[in-house]
Amino acid sequence: MTSEPETRPLPDSVRLSLSTAAARNLATTTKSAPQMRGITSRWLLRRLPWVQVSGGTYRVNRRLSLAVGRGRVCFVQAGADDVRIIPETLREIPALRDFEDIGVLAELAGRFTVREFRSGDVIVEQGSPVQEVYIVAHGRLDRFGTGKYGAEKTMGVLADGDHLGDEALLQSEPQWSATVKAATAGTMLVLPWDSFRELSDRCAPLRDHIDRFLANSARKVNSKGEVEVAVAAGHEGEAEIPGSFVDYDLAPREYELSLTQTVLRMHTRVADLYNDPMNQLQQQLRLTVEEIRERQEWELLNNREFGLLHNADYDQRINTWSGPPTPDDMDDLLSMRRGTDLFLAHPKAITAFFRECTKRGIYPDSTDVGGHQVPAWRGVPIFPCGKIPIADGHVSSIVAMRTGEQDQGVIGLHQTGIPDEFEPSLNVRFMGIDDKAVMRYLVTAYYSVAILVQDAVGILENVDIAAPRS
């Protein structure tokens, strides 16, 4: 039996044809443009209606509102049992809004004492007299009330920074309007109601401030907290028609255009010699602009001065009922405004919502947006946005908004027609060549975002996106 001869590669000295490695020296390489992983869909920038701001500042004029939102009190913690209120943040309590005397606020903050609670503890009972003011430092409390037919119903959730008890100022014989139970273990700070009254009676500025708050609270307002306009309807004959006027906010908020800038550097030798087949300066600018636009979207959400996550009204923030985002939570978020154009959520939050839908046998629909199939809830598209932060590795937020000037929603602010404009409201300005033959270009984007009416943006907070363990 004969065996096949063994085939071995020929050495380079006896190669019968040109090698591919050598051939590539004469070939033209086909190249891609520079790629970048950091480019995202940037749905917020694409879906916001952009308004021209010629003077660099946009003023939001509103009807006078007397309803003061319930903000969040902040704390400083030096240990497990050493939790203290930051005195300035007591102004987030409606009765203390705009109170100036920091010394009185510091004394008031010092009168609060720390109290721990466990899951299932009843903090207050409906109908019992108000004897203490509570501020939640950490944990979650559920509010329950008696429904029309005697059944218990859930009325809301209290979480970090929320407070209850200050509404007793508006009652002659203050009583708790709901039962509050602890859903988790946590910490609260407690102030006896008599202690607050003693300080108010002794401190004239605080007493006068409270009296003004009570006087404003007595004025008639509509369901949105705006000063009521007196009108008559359904009358007959020659009834006297009430006279009135629409009062305006005397201190409207103004939004100045913010900016993102960088200096792009390139050696003249590179710009002169290495431009075929792609222009080096154009590619450098393209990637730089992409990075600036990514940062622009991050700022529109996270900037403390104008970002949506920090400037949404506290009355438009709700917590999830159970932790993960459920269809009930999304419905609550939708019900907070007269029209919702879009949701924004981190992709992991969207996944968590789909998980909850699957548990209930619900399958969210989708909608077509510019040729893209986007998931939707109740017909409102849910756009992914990775710039919404995830805290502690598993807690995020879901944003719902109404957009456009005509609908009194959220609008983007920019200014077009600026010198050396490269894209709308973004310019590239040549800064010269230094002694090392390096060219410099200043790349700047101008932008901001404005919330025209408080209910234009709502946020579902403390969304647990962690997948349950099997």
Side-chain angles (χ1 to χ4, degrees):
M1 184 176 184
T2 60
S3 59
E4 296 290 333
E6 183 178 357
T7 303
R8 296 177 179 174
L10 295 174
D12 290 341
S13 58
V14 294
R15 184 178 294 277
L16 301 178
S17 65
L18 183 68
S19 69
T20 56
R24 279 200 296 268
N25 291 328
L26 300 183
T28 299
T29 303
T30 302
K31 295 172 284 293
S32 74
Q35 306 297 302
M36 177 177 171
R37 289 183 60 187
I39 299 175
T40 65
S41 54
R42 298 198 293 264
W43 281 111
L44 179 59
L45 295 188
R46 294 161 64 179
R47 303 307 299 175
L48 274 181
W50 292 91
V51 174
Q52 171 74 357
V53 181
S54 299
T57 302
Y58 186 90
R59 178 182 298 154
V60 178
N61 289 307
R62 289 174 176 167
R63 186 172 163 184
L64 179 62
S65 176
L66 295 179
V68 181
R70 304 181 66 82
R72 303 284 175 83
V73 177
C74 298
F75 308 89
V76 58
Q77 184 174 0
D81 300 319
D82 188 4
V83 181
R84 286 169 286 177
I85 295 172
I86 299 175
E88 293 86 348
T89 64
L90 285 174
R91 298 190 181 109
E92 297 298 333
I93 298 176
L96 298 177
R97 182 63 55 87
D98 298 328
F99 183 67
E100 299 294 339
D101 195 329
I102 186 63
V104 175
L105 293 176
E107 181 178 353
L108 183 60
R111 296 188 175 205
F112 281 84
T113 57
V114 177
R115 182 181 300 174
E116 303 289 334
F117 57 86
R118 294 176 297 176
S119 177
D121 287 351
V122 177
I123 309 301
V124 300
E125 290 189 0
Q126 184 177 9
S128 61
V130 177
Q131 296 178 337
E132 294 175 318
V133 176
Y134 303 96
I135 301 179
V136 183
H138 178 67
R140 174 191 170 100
L141 306 176
D142 292 333
R143 298 177 71 244
F144 299 94
T146 303
K148 181 178 180 180
Y149 301 102
E152 187 178 72
K153 64 177 182 178
T154 304
M155 300 176 62
V157 176
L158 300 170
D160 301 8
D162 287 330
H163 36 84
L164 65 158
D166 56 289
E167 61 270 24
L169 285 169
L170 304 177
Q171 307 175 40
S172 57
E173 296 181 0
Q175 294 182 341
W176 293 110
S177 59
T179 297
V180 178
K181 297 180 182 179
T184 67
T187 304
M188 64 172 59
L189 284 96
V190 182
L191 173 70
W193 190 243
D194 290 339
S195 178
F196 175 79
R197 284 182 172 175
E198 185 273 328
L199 179 61
S200 176
D201 293 340
R202 178 168 54 83
C203 178
L206 178 59
R207 184 173 61 253
D208 294 341
H209 183 84
I210 296 298
D211 289 342
R212 287 193 297 271
F213 169 76
L214 294 175
N216 284 333
S217 299
R219 296 180 64 181
K220 292 183 177 181
V221 296
N222 61 19
S223 61
K224 301 299 183 181
E226 298 168 332
V227 175
E228 188 178 70
V229 176
V231 297
H235 52 276
E236 296 180 358
E238 297 179 352
E240 183 176 348
I241 300 175
S244 186
F245 65 95
V246 180
D247 206 354
Y248 299 139
D249 187 352
L250 296 179
R253 179 168 182 178
E254 292 185 346
Y255 293 86
E256 294 185 359
L257 291 185
S258 183
L259 76 165
T260 296
Q261 285 183 314
T262 189
V263 176
L264 174 63
R265 298 184 179 92
M266 175 178 288
H267 200 283
T268 53
R269 180 173 61 248
V270 173
D272 291 342
L273 301 179
Y274 301 97
N275 286 316
D276 188 23
M278 299 178 194
N279 185 286
Q280 293 284 355
L281 179 59
Q282 288 180 358
Q283 295 301 322
Q284 288 284 303
L285 279 176
R286 181 178 66 83
L287 296 180
T288 301
V289 169
E290 293 284 1
E291 187 62 38
I292 285 180
R293 292 303 191 194
E294 292 291 332
R295 181 55 184 263
Q296 176 180 345
E297 187 175 60
W298 187 94
E299 293 284 329
L300 294 182
L301 285 166
N302 297 284
N303 187 285
R304 297 195 65 85
E305 292 185 4
F306 58 85
L308 298 177
L309 292 175
H310 294 286
N311 287 267
D313 195 86
Y314 282 113
D315 285 342
Q316 297 296 315
R317 300 170 185 260
I318 58 175
N319 282 273
T320 60
W321 290 105
S322 58
T326 65
D328 295 335
D329 297 321
M330 297 293 276
D331 285 342
D332 286 345
L333 194 57
L334 275 176
S335 68
M336 296 167 65
R337 67 201 48 78
R338 56 180 167 83
T340 301
D341 294 326
L342 60 95
F343 292 106
L344 275 180
H346 194 282
K348 291 184 178 180
I350 298 177
T351 301
F353 173 62
F354 285 171
R355 233 178 359 246
E356 294 302 312
C357 290
T358 302
K359 289 180 182 178
R360 302 186 181 200
I362 299 172
Y363 301 95
D365 53 359
S366 62
T367 185
D368 183 85
V369 179
H372 299 271
Q373 287 298 313
V374 178
W377 179 249
R378 307 293 190 193
V380 179
I382 308 173
F383 293 106
C385 181
K387 298 175 183 67
I388 296 177
I390 296 177
D392 303 324
H394 66 96
V395 179
S396 187
S397 301
I398 296 177
V399 182
M401 69 178 74
R402 181 179 66 247
T403 59
E405 270 190 313
Q406 295 299 320
D407 289 332
Q408 302 180 92
V410 181
I411 58 172
L413 306 177
H414 69 176
Q415 183 177 147
T416 59
I418 57 178
D420 301 314
E421 192 169 53
F422 184 77
E423 288 185 358
S425 201
L426 182 148
N427 63 1
V428 178
R429 314 194 78 169
F430 180 62
M431 298 176 65
I433 304 174
D434 63 17
D435 293 340
K436 296 182 179 180
V438 175
M439 301 186 299
R440 296 180 300 152
Y441 292 86
L442 178 64
V443 187
T444 308
Y446 298 96
Y447 55 86
S448 189
V449 64
I451 302 171
L452 299 186
V453 177
Q454 290 91 331
D455 71 349
V457 174
I459 300 179
L460 181 64
E461 297 185 311
N462 298 320
V463 174
D464 190 350
I465 62 176
R469 294 183 179 179
S470 57

